[in-house]
Amino acid sequence: MCSLAEFLAEGLGDFDAAMLQVIKSQKNIQKTPVQEIWHSDYDQVLAYTRKDLLFVFNFNPSKSFTGYGLLVPAGSYEVVLNSDAKEFGGNGLNDDSVKHFTMFDPVHKKYHKEWLKLYIPARSCMVLKLDR
């Protein structure tokens, strides 16, 4: 039996290894720019894209967000990594098998951006892949 601290450290190590695998799976990702999608000091949320990957971080220690909207390239997104998954010591609050579809907004049509609404648990990171 391990302590809670040991369990969490093991989960974090496993998540780190999984994140490296996701990055390595993207050919020449280091040659593509990081594009900030959103940051909010108040909410403590940061989102950016690199290639077809969307990285969403909620650094808030106590607040989870339901239906958090991000303007992203139009399409559907699949979760490829989620730090809140039980396998990483998280609570498993999201169903990572669900495809997330963007929602059209005529205001942002000329920028080819649509709204993606996500549930983002406190102290979590999600990586989603765009399927055009």
Side-chain angles (χ1 to χ4, degrees):
M1 181 92 179
C2 64
S3 70
L4 177 60
E6 291 170 324
F7 175 74
L8 293 176
E10 182 179 316
L12 185 57
D14 292 345
F15 178 78
D16 187 47
M19 178 68 89
L20 289 172
Q21 284 304 114
V22 168
I23 299 300
K24 288 177 182 177
S25 73
Q26 299 296 305
K27 187 175 182 181
N28 296 321
I29 193 167
Q30 72 279 6
K31 293 181 181 180
T32 59
V34 173
Q35 295 185 318
E36 183 178 291
I37 296 296
W38 176 254
H39 79 270
S40 169
D41 292 337
Y42 180 78
D43 291 339
Q44 298 178 305
V45 171
L46 170 67
Y48 65 90
T49 59
R50 194 159 193 186
K51 287 192 96 171
D52 287 339
L53 297 178
L54 170 64
F55 298 82
V56 181
F57 297 87
N58 181 0
F59 296 106
N60 196 302
S62 59
K63 188 166 183 180
S64 298
F65 299 99
T66 302
Y68 202 90
L70 301 168
L71 276 172
V72 297
S76 64
Y77 288 78
E78 291 186 54
V79 175
V80 294
L81 191 60
N82 183 355
S83 68
D84 191 54
K86 289 193 180 278
E87 67 188 283
F88 301 122
N91 295 310
L93 298 175
N94 274 322
D95 179 353
D96 293 336
S97 67
V98 171
K99 249 188 183 181
H100 300 274
F101 296 91
T102 57
M103 295 180 290
F104 178 75
D105 183 339
V107 173
H108 303 287
K109 181 180 180 180
K110 66 181 174 183
Y111 305 110
H112 307 285
K113 302 276 181 153
E114 294 185 358
W115 288 104
L116 181 67
K117 304 283 183 141
L118 298 171
Y119 172 69
I120 311 171
R123 299 176 315 256
S124 69
C125 168
M126 291 172 47
V127 181
L128 300 99
K129 184 171 175 138
L130 173 62
D131 183 21
R132 294 182 194 263

